[in-house]
Every structure is written in structure tokens, then in C-alpha cells.
Amino acid sequence: MEPSSTSRPVTLEHVARAAGVSRATVSRVINGESTVDPRLRKLVEEAIARTRYVPNRAARSLVTRRTDSVALVVSEQELRDVTGPFVGRIFTDPYFGRVLTGLLEVLRPRGIQVMLTLADDEASRGQLLGYLQQGHVDGVVLISSHAEDPLPGLLSGTALPAVLAARPAAPTPITYVDVDQRAGATLAAERLLAIGRRRVVTIAGPQDMPLAQERLAGFRAAMAARGHREVPWIEGDFTQVSGAAAMKRLLAEHPDLDGVFVASDLMALGAVNTLYREGRSVPEDVAVVGFDDSVSALACDPPLTTVRQPVEEMAAEMARLLLRQTETGGRPLPSVVFHPSLVVRGSA
């Protein structure tokens, strides 16, 4: 019989009886062990919901030496004012929300909390490392923007489990999850050429970011391999405003352009708005291909043809890799690279 709301607290034994499994199996499920049979895991999770079992986190922490929390660290090379574009981008760029969604999909059912923190200069990085090394979290998911950011290397020098959201600029012994950026840019080039565009330009992301470098290099290489050796480009900063400004400049310098690859959907949204203001129709006059397949792609008019990187699936994989590292003593695991795909809509 399941305890009533007025009885004493629900225990592991209560959950085990409700699920028809051993107490040890319940404990393994609650502790997030990956070796539990999926059928048994489902039975235990359903029993936990029925009995309203609440783990004693303090007691569990004494036994497992885990905090049941992980840090989502967003790292920036330079200090920026809180009203500046970097901090604003965290709360407005769909990418960050999609990462959090993917992480929570895996971590929340296991009762693991996610703590968001920023590391934007040497002092904050030092404070962060001290906090992490004091055992306040079980691991770190790191979003690092710039090639010269020292934090991936600093984290790899600790014993703390860590997963990086994107391939590091330099070889670093840290697990990462990424999408094949060059392959995605190649898909964009192939689409623009396949629909007959011959005067193609591109709006790149910040060239101090490895992923932006890869997208630009991949697009230019794909175009060159197909006979288009000169592809005009302008650098943006992954914001809608920068996409609009870059598009205006490209139109002024190359008024006969008929296709553009934009290295993020948010910049593409700005570019499309500029095209309309300048009297160009999309896709009749200028075809536009973005990158990400975010909500910005659907906010475009017409909806944006874009390279899809499965951010939620990638973030979920980051969480799974992080949990596996906590079980194996924090040793780096093989990294994972996802394949992009092209989503064809109305803009190209």
C-alpha cells in the first residue's frame, strides 16, 4: 500500500515495492547509472511519480559525493557591459534557449539542476575555477565563443567532468559536441547554385570564432570547387542588426548580387529586411540561405531556407556525455560531431 500524504516520508523501499523491483535497482535509477535496463528504469520512474518520492539530497550527497547540479558556463574573451551585445545575445539569440532545452531534457528527469554563469574576463574565470574546484557542481557544459579563450584549456587541466559546445580552436583534451560546419556551408552553396544563382555573396560570423571561420571557409571552398573562386563577404556578429548592416553594404558594393548565404538565421532575418527596404524581392531577385534552423527562420517572410544544426539533440548529447564522465571519474570521452541537413523553405 502506498503511503498517504499524512504518513511518514516515502522511502526507497516503498518505491521498490510499487515498481516490483529491488531497492538496489531503485537506487541505481535515482543515481543516474546508465547500466539500468530501460524497461526497469521506466517502471521505477513511474513508481516515483505515483508515490511522490522525494530523494534526500543531503544524505545522497554524503554517499555519492555529488551535488546533483551542473554549471552551464557561457565564456567570452573580453569584458562587456551588461547592456552590450554579448549579454543581450544570451537572452535573445535562440541558440542559447535551444541548448538549455536539450540539457534539461536529459538532466531534469534525473533531478539535476542547471546553474547558468558567465565568464567574461580573467577575474571571473579565476572565480569560476575556484568555485568549480570546491565541488559545488558535478560538471560543466561550456559555451566558448572565441578562439583565444583560455577556459577550455583551464578546464581540461582540472579533474572536473566537462563538455564543450563546439570543437575547440586548438587541440585540447576535452570532450566536445559539434556539427560539421563545413558540410553545412557546402549544403548552402549547393542549394544556391542549384537554383541558378551565379552572383553569390555571403555574410560571415565573427572571424575570431572557430565555427564562424569554418562556415566561411567551407562556403568559399564549395563555391570555388564549382567554378566561383571569388565570393564577396562581410563579417557580422550573429545579431540581426549586423546582418541588416552587412546586407546593405554588400548591395552597395555588388548591386547585381542574386544570392546570399548568411552564417546564422538571426543575421539572415536582418538581411531579408534590408533587401525589402532596398526594393529587392526574396527569392525572385535575391535568394537567401541561413544557418541554424532556429525560430528566426520561421519569422522570416518568406520562411527561410536554412542549414539545420540539431541544437537540442546536440545539447542532450552533451548532457549524456557529462553524466557518463561523472561515472568514469571525469576522464574525457570521445567527442561527437553531428551531421547538418538542409531545410528548404521559401527564401531559396
Short mmCIF file of all heavy atoms in Angstrom, two decimals, residues 258-310:
data_model
loop_
_atom_site.label_atom_id
_atom_site.label_comp_id
_atom_site.label_asym_id
_atom_site.label_seq_id
_atom_site.Cartn_x
_atom_site.Cartn_y
_atom_site.Cartn_z
N ASP A 258 22.66 38.06 -56.63
CA ASP A 258 21.37 37.36 -56.73
C ASP A 258 21.22 36.22 -55.71
O ASP A 258 20.23 35.49 -55.74
CB ASP A 258 21.12 36.85 -58.15
CG ASP A 258 22.15 35.81 -58.59
OD1 ASP A 258 23.04 35.46 -57.80
OD2 ASP A 258 22.05 35.36 -59.75
N GLY A 259 22.20 36.06 -54.84
CA GLY A 259 22.11 35.03 -53.81
C GLY A 259 23.03 35.35 -52.65
O GLY A 259 24.10 35.93 -52.84
N VAL A 260 22.60 34.98 -51.45
CA VAL A 260 23.43 35.25 -50.27
C VAL A 260 23.30 34.10 -49.28
O VAL A 260 22.19 33.63 -48.98
CB VAL A 260 23.07 36.60 -49.61
CG1 VAL A 260 21.60 36.67 -49.25
CG2 VAL A 260 23.93 36.85 -48.37
N PHE A 261 24.44 33.65 -48.79
CA PHE A 261 24.48 32.71 -47.67
C PHE A 261 24.81 33.49 -46.42
O PHE A 261 25.82 34.20 -46.37
CB PHE A 261 25.53 31.62 -47.91
CG PHE A 261 25.87 30.82 -46.67
CD1 PHE A 261 24.86 30.20 -45.93
CD2 PHE A 261 27.18 30.68 -46.24
CE1 PHE A 261 25.17 29.47 -44.79
CE2 PHE A 261 27.50 29.94 -45.10
CZ PHE A 261 26.49 29.34 -44.38
N VAL A 262 23.95 33.39 -45.41
CA VAL A 262 24.14 34.12 -44.15
C VAL A 262 24.42 33.10 -43.05
O VAL A 262 23.70 32.12 -42.89
CB VAL A 262 22.90 34.96 -43.80
CG1 VAL A 262 23.21 35.89 -42.64
CG2 VAL A 262 22.43 35.76 -45.02
N ALA A 263 25.49 33.34 -42.28
CA ALA A 263 26.01 32.33 -41.36
C ALA A 263 25.18 32.13 -40.10
O ALA A 263 25.56 31.34 -39.24
CB ALA A 263 27.45 32.67 -40.97
N SER A 264 24.05 32.81 -39.96
CA SER A 264 23.10 32.50 -38.89
C SER A 264 21.73 33.00 -39.31
O SER A 264 21.60 33.96 -40.07
CB SER A 264 23.50 33.14 -37.55
OG SER A 264 23.13 34.51 -37.50
N ASP A 265 20.69 32.33 -38.81
CA ASP A 265 19.32 32.73 -39.16
C ASP A 265 18.99 34.13 -38.65
O ASP A 265 18.27 34.88 -39.30
CB ASP A 265 18.33 31.74 -38.54
CG ASP A 265 18.37 30.37 -39.20
OD1 ASP A 265 18.97 30.25 -40.28
OD2 ASP A 265 17.80 29.43 -38.62
N LEU A 266 19.52 34.48 -37.47
CA LEU A 266 19.21 35.79 -36.91
C LEU A 266 19.78 36.90 -37.80
O LEU A 266 19.12 37.91 -38.06
CB LEU A 266 19.76 35.91 -35.49
CG LEU A 266 19.21 37.02 -34.61
CD1 LEU A 266 17.69 36.93 -34.50
CD2 LEU A 266 19.84 36.97 -33.23
N MET A 267 21.01 36.72 -38.29
CA MET A 267 21.57 37.69 -39.24
C MET A 267 20.79 37.66 -40.55
O MET A 267 20.59 38.71 -41.18
CB MET A 267 23.05 37.40 -39.50
CG MET A 267 23.97 37.69 -38.34
SD MET A 267 25.73 37.83 -38.80
CE MET A 267 26.04 36.22 -39.52
N ALA A 268 20.34 36.49 -40.96
CA ALA A 268 19.58 36.38 -42.22
C ALA A 268 18.27 37.15 -42.12
O ALA A 268 17.82 37.76 -43.10
CB ALA A 268 19.32 34.91 -42.54
N LEU A 269 17.65 37.13 -40.94
CA LEU A 269 16.41 37.89 -40.75
C LEU A 269 16.66 39.37 -40.99
O LEU A 269 15.88 40.06 -41.67
CB LEU A 269 15.88 37.65 -39.34
CG LEU A 269 14.57 38.33 -38.95
CD1 LEU A 269 13.44 37.93 -39.88
CD2 LEU A 269 14.22 37.98 -37.50
N GLY A 270 17.77 39.88 -40.47
CA GLY A 270 18.13 41.28 -40.74
C GLY A 270 18.44 41.53 -42.19
O GLY A 270 18.07 42.57 -42.76
N ALA A 271 19.10 40.57 -42.84
CA ALA A 271 19.45 40.72 -44.26
C ALA A 271 18.20 40.77 -45.13
O ALA A 271 18.10 41.60 -46.06
CB ALA A 271 20.35 39.56 -44.69
N VAL A 272 17.22 39.92 -44.85
CA VAL A 272 15.98 39.90 -45.63
C VAL A 272 15.24 41.22 -45.48
O VAL A 272 14.72 41.79 -46.46
CB VAL A 272 15.10 38.71 -45.21
CG1 VAL A 272 13.70 38.84 -45.81
CG2 VAL A 272 15.73 37.40 -45.65
N ASN A 273 15.20 41.74 -44.27
CA ASN A 273 14.53 43.04 -44.06
C ASN A 273 15.20 44.14 -44.86
O ASN A 273 14.53 45.01 -45.44
CB ASN A 273 14.53 43.39 -42.57
CG ASN A 273 13.61 42.50 -41.76
OD1 ASN A 273 12.70 41.88 -42.30
ND2 ASN A 273 13.87 42.41 -40.46
N THR A 274 16.54 44.12 -44.92
CA THR A 274 17.26 45.12 -45.72
C THR A 274 16.95 44.96 -47.19
O THR A 274 16.76 45.96 -47.91
CB THR A 274 18.77 44.99 -45.48
OG1 THR A 274 19.07 45.39 -44.15
CG2 THR A 274 19.56 45.87 -46.46
N LEU A 275 16.92 43.75 -47.68
CA LEU A 275 16.61 43.51 -49.10
C LEU A 275 15.27 44.13 -49.47
O LEU A 275 15.13 44.78 -50.51
CB LEU A 275 16.62 42.02 -49.40
CG LEU A 275 18.01 41.37 -49.43
CD1 LEU A 275 17.89 39.85 -49.45
CD2 LEU A 275 18.81 41.84 -50.64
N TYR A 276 14.27 43.95 -48.62
CA TYR A 276 12.96 44.54 -48.90
C TYR A 276 13.02 46.06 -48.88
O TYR A 276 12.42 46.72 -49.74
CB TYR A 276 11.93 44.04 -47.89
CG TYR A 276 11.49 42.62 -48.14
CD1 TYR A 276 11.31 41.73 -47.08
CD2 TYR A 276 11.23 42.15 -49.43
CE1 TYR A 276 10.89 40.42 -47.30
CE2 TYR A 276 10.82 40.86 -49.66
CZ TYR A 276 10.65 39.99 -48.60
OH TYR A 276 10.24 38.71 -48.83
N ARG A 277 13.76 46.60 -47.92
CA ARG A 277 13.86 48.07 -47.85
C ARG A 277 14.55 48.65 -49.08
O ARG A 277 14.29 49.78 -49.48
CB ARG A 277 14.60 48.49 -46.58
CG ARG A 277 13.77 48.36 -45.31
CD ARG A 277 14.41 49.14 -44.16
NE ARG A 277 15.72 48.61 -43.82
CZ ARG A 277 15.92 47.65 -42.92
NH1 ARG A 277 14.89 47.12 -42.28
NH2 ARG A 277 17.14 47.24 -42.64
N GLU A 278 15.45 47.86 -49.65
CA GLU A 278 16.18 48.31 -50.84
C GLU A 278 15.46 47.95 -52.14
O GLU A 278 16.03 48.06 -53.22
CB GLU A 278 17.58 47.70 -50.84
CG GLU A 278 18.45 48.13 -49.66
CD GLU A 278 18.74 49.62 -49.67
OE1 GLU A 278 18.97 50.18 -50.77
OE2 GLU A 278 18.73 50.24 -48.59
N GLY A 279 14.24 47.48 -52.04
CA GLY A 279 13.43 47.21 -53.22
C GLY A 279 13.70 45.88 -53.89
O GLY A 279 13.30 45.68 -55.05
N ARG A 280 14.34 44.94 -53.19
CA ARG A 280 14.60 43.61 -53.75
C ARG A 280 13.59 42.61 -53.18
O ARG A 280 13.27 42.65 -52.00
CB ARG A 280 16.01 43.13 -53.41
CG ARG A 280 17.12 44.13 -53.75
CD ARG A 280 17.25 44.37 -55.25
NE ARG A 280 18.32 45.33 -55.51
CZ ARG A 280 19.56 44.98 -55.84
NH1 ARG A 280 19.89 43.69 -55.92
NH2 ARG A 280 20.48 45.91 -56.06
N SER A 281 13.14 41.70 -54.03
CA SER A 281 12.23 40.66 -53.57
C SER A 281 13.00 39.38 -53.29
O SER A 281 14.05 39.12 -53.89
CB SER A 281 11.14 40.39 -54.61
OG SER A 281 11.72 39.95 -55.83
N VAL A 282 12.47 38.59 -52.36
CA VAL A 282 13.08 37.32 -51.95
C VAL A 282 12.04 36.21 -52.18
O VAL A 282 10.93 36.30 -51.66
CB VAL A 282 13.49 37.37 -50.46
CG1 VAL A 282 14.07 36.03 -50.02
CG2 VAL A 282 14.48 38.50 -50.20
N PRO A 283 12.36 35.20 -52.97
CA PRO A 283 13.67 34.89 -53.57
C PRO A 283 13.81 35.33 -55.02
O PRO A 283 14.82 35.00 -55.66
CB PRO A 283 13.69 33.36 -53.48
CG PRO A 283 12.26 32.99 -53.76
CD PRO A 283 11.43 34.06 -53.11
N GLU A 284 12.82 36.03 -55.58
CA GLU A 284 12.85 36.32 -57.01
C GLU A 284 14.11 37.07 -57.42
O GLU A 284 14.78 36.71 -58.39
CB GLU A 284 11.59 37.12 -57.40
CG GLU A 284 10.30 36.32 -57.32
CD GLU A 284 9.76 36.20 -55.91
OE1 GLU A 284 10.32 36.87 -54.99
OE2 GLU A 284 8.79 35.45 -55.72
N ASP A 285 14.44 38.15 -56.70
CA ASP A 285 15.65 38.91 -57.02
C ASP A 285 16.88 38.35 -56.32
O ASP A 285 17.95 38.26 -56.93
CB ASP A 285 15.46 40.38 -56.61
CG ASP A 285 14.36 41.06 -57.40
OD1 ASP A 285 14.15 40.68 -58.57
OD2 ASP A 285 13.71 41.95 -56.84
N VAL A 286 16.73 38.03 -55.05
CA VAL A 286 17.87 37.54 -54.25
C VAL A 286 17.39 36.34 -53.42
O VAL A 286 16.44 36.46 -52.64
CB VAL A 286 18.42 38.63 -53.31
CG1 VAL A 286 19.61 38.09 -52.52
CG2 VAL A 286 18.82 39.88 -54.10
N ALA A 287 18.07 35.22 -53.61
CA ALA A 287 17.79 34.03 -52.78
C ALA A 287 18.64 34.09 -51.52
O ALA A 287 19.79 34.53 -51.56
CB ALA A 287 18.09 32.76 -53.57
N VAL A 288 18.07 33.66 -50.41
CA VAL A 288 18.77 33.74 -49.12
C VAL A 288 18.75 32.37 -48.44
O VAL A 288 17.69 31.74 -48.32
CB VAL A 288 18.11 34.78 -48.19
CG1 VAL A 288 18.86 34.86 -46.85
CG2 VAL A 288 18.06 36.16 -48.86
N VAL A 289 19.93 31.94 -47.99
CA VAL A 289 20.06 30.70 -47.21
C VAL A 289 20.71 31.05 -45.88
O VAL A 289 21.74 31.73 -45.84
CB VAL A 289 20.90 29.64 -47.94
CG1 VAL A 289 21.07 28.39 -47.05
CG2 VAL A 289 20.25 29.25 -49.26
N GLY A 290 20.11 30.60 -44.78
CA GLY A 290 20.66 30.85 -43.45
C GLY A 290 21.35 29.63 -42.88
O GLY A 290 21.63 28.66 -43.58
N PHE A 291 21.59 29.68 -41.59
CA PHE A 291 22.25 28.58 -40.88
C PHE A 291 21.72 28.53 -39.46
O PHE A 291 21.75 29.53 -38.76
CB PHE A 291 23.77 28.78 -40.86
CG PHE A 291 24.57 27.52 -40.60
CD1 PHE A 291 25.40 26.99 -41.58
CD2 PHE A 291 24.49 26.86 -39.40
CE1 PHE A 291 26.14 25.83 -41.36
CE2 PHE A 291 25.22 25.71 -39.15
CZ PHE A 291 26.05 25.19 -40.14
N ASP A 292 21.22 27.39 -39.03
CA ASP A 292 20.77 27.09 -37.66
C ASP A 292 19.45 26.35 -37.66
O ASP A 292 19.26 25.41 -36.91
CB ASP A 292 20.61 28.33 -36.76
CG ASP A 292 21.94 28.92 -36.33
OD1 ASP A 292 22.91 28.15 -36.22
OD2 ASP A 292 22.01 30.15 -36.14
N ASP A 293 18.47 26.82 -38.47
CA ASP A 293 17.08 26.35 -38.40
C ASP A 293 16.50 26.67 -37.03
O ASP A 293 15.98 25.80 -36.33
CB ASP A 293 16.95 24.86 -38.72
CG ASP A 293 15.48 24.48 -38.98
OD1 ASP A 293 14.72 25.36 -39.41
OD2 ASP A 293 15.11 23.31 -38.72
N SER A 294 16.56 27.93 -36.68
CA SER A 294 16.02 28.42 -35.41
C SER A 294 14.66 29.06 -35.65
O SER A 294 14.15 29.09 -36.77
CB SER A 294 16.99 29.45 -34.81
OG SER A 294 17.01 30.62 -35.62
N VAL A 295 14.06 29.61 -34.58
CA VAL A 295 12.77 30.28 -34.72
C VAL A 295 12.87 31.50 -35.65
O VAL A 295 11.88 31.91 -36.25
CB VAL A 295 12.23 30.71 -33.35
CG1 VAL A 295 11.89 29.51 -32.50
CG2 VAL A 295 13.21 31.61 -32.62
N SER A 296 14.07 32.05 -35.79
CA SER A 296 14.25 33.19 -36.69
C SER A 296 13.97 32.80 -38.14
O SER A 296 13.54 33.63 -38.94
CB SER A 296 15.67 33.74 -36.58
OG SER A 296 15.92 34.23 -35.29
N ALA A 297 14.21 31.53 -38.48
CA ALA A 297 13.95 31.07 -39.84
C ALA A 297 12.47 31.15 -40.17
O ALA A 297 12.08 31.48 -41.30
CB ALA A 297 14.47 29.64 -40.02
N LEU A 298 11.62 30.86 -39.20
CA LEU A 298 10.18 30.92 -39.41
C LEU A 298 9.64 32.34 -39.28
O LEU A 298 8.55 32.64 -39.75
CB LEU A 298 9.47 29.99 -38.43
CG LEU A 298 9.82 28.51 -38.57
CD1 LEU A 298 9.10 27.69 -37.51
CD2 LEU A 298 9.48 28.00 -39.96
N ALA A 299 10.42 33.21 -38.63
CA ALA A 299 10.00 34.61 -38.51
C ALA A 299 10.22 35.38 -39.80
O ALA A 299 9.67 36.48 -39.98
CB ALA A 299 10.76 35.30 -37.37
N CYS A 300 11.03 34.84 -40.70
CA CYS A 300 11.29 35.49 -41.98
C CYS A 300 10.05 35.45 -42.88
O CYS A 300 9.20 34.57 -42.76
CB CYS A 300 12.45 34.80 -42.70
SG CYS A 300 14.08 35.46 -42.32
N ASP A 301 9.98 36.38 -43.80
CA ASP A 301 8.93 36.40 -44.81
C ASP A 301 9.58 36.59 -46.18
O ASP A 301 10.04 37.68 -46.48
CB ASP A 301 7.94 37.54 -44.53
CG ASP A 301 6.79 37.58 -45.54
OD1 ASP A 301 6.59 36.55 -46.23
OD2 ASP A 301 6.12 38.62 -45.65
N PRO A 302 9.68 35.51 -46.97
CA PRO A 302 9.15 34.17 -46.74
C PRO A 302 9.99 33.39 -45.73
O PRO A 302 11.12 33.80 -45.42
CB PRO A 302 9.24 33.53 -48.13
CG PRO A 302 10.43 34.19 -48.75
CD PRO A 302 10.39 35.62 -48.27
N PRO A 303 9.47 32.27 -45.23
CA PRO A 303 10.26 31.45 -44.31
C PRO A 303 11.60 31.08 -44.92
O PRO A 303 11.73 30.87 -46.13
CB PRO A 303 9.37 30.22 -44.09
CG PRO A 303 7.98 30.72 -44.34
CD PRO A 303 8.12 31.72 -45.45
N LEU A 304 12.59 30.98 -44.07
CA LEU A 304 13.98 30.89 -44.51
C LEU A 304 14.41 29.47 -44.85
O LEU A 304 14.22 28.55 -44.04
CB LEU A 304 14.88 31.45 -43.40
CG LEU A 304 16.34 31.73 -43.73
CD1 LEU A 304 16.46 32.85 -44.75
CD2 LEU A 304 17.08 32.11 -42.45
N THR A 305 14.99 29.30 -46.02
CA THR A 305 15.74 28.08 -46.32
C THR A 305 17.03 28.15 -45.51
O THR A 305 17.72 29.17 -45.53
CB THR A 305 16.05 27.98 -47.81
OG1 THR A 305 14.82 27.78 -48.53
CG2 THR A 305 16.99 26.82 -48.11
N THR A 306 17.36 27.08 -44.81
CA THR A 306 18.47 27.16 -43.87
C THR A 306 19.13 25.81 -43.65
O THR A 306 18.53 24.76 -43.90
CB THR A 306 17.96 27.73 -42.52
OG1 THR A 306 19.06 27.95 -41.64
CG2 THR A 306 16.97 26.80 -41.86
N VAL A 307 20.36 25.86 -43.18
CA VAL A 307 21.09 24.66 -42.79
C VAL A 307 20.72 24.35 -41.35
O VAL A 307 20.89 25.21 -40.47
CB VAL A 307 22.61 24.86 -42.92
CG1 VAL A 307 23.35 23.63 -42.42
CG2 VAL A 307 22.97 25.17 -44.38
N ARG A 308 20.22 23.16 -41.11
CA ARG A 308 19.78 22.80 -39.77
C ARG A 308 20.92 22.15 -38.99
O ARG A 308 21.49 21.16 -39.43
CB ARG A 308 18.60 21.84 -39.80
CG ARG A 308 18.09 21.47 -38.40
CD ARG A 308 16.86 20.60 -38.44
NE ARG A 308 16.32 20.43 -37.10
CZ ARG A 308 16.68 19.47 -36.26
NH1 ARG A 308 17.56 18.56 -36.65
NH2 ARG A 308 16.16 19.40 -35.05
N GLN A 309 21.24 22.75 -37.83
CA GLN A 309 22.06 22.03 -36.87
C GLN A 309 21.15 21.63 -35.72
O GLN A 309 20.43 22.47 -35.16
CB GLN A 309 23.26 22.85 -36.39
CG GLN A 309 22.94 24.18 -35.75
CD GLN A 309 24.19 24.79 -35.12
OE1 GLN A 309 25.16 24.09 -34.81
NE2 GLN A 309 24.17 26.08 -34.91
N PRO A 310 21.13 20.35 -35.36
CA PRO A 310 20.15 19.88 -34.36
C PRO A 310 20.58 20.25 -32.94
O PRO A 310 21.04 19.41 -32.17
CB PRO A 310 20.16 18.36 -34.60
CG PRO A 310 21.55 18.06 -35.08
CD PRO A 310 21.95 19.26 -35.90
#
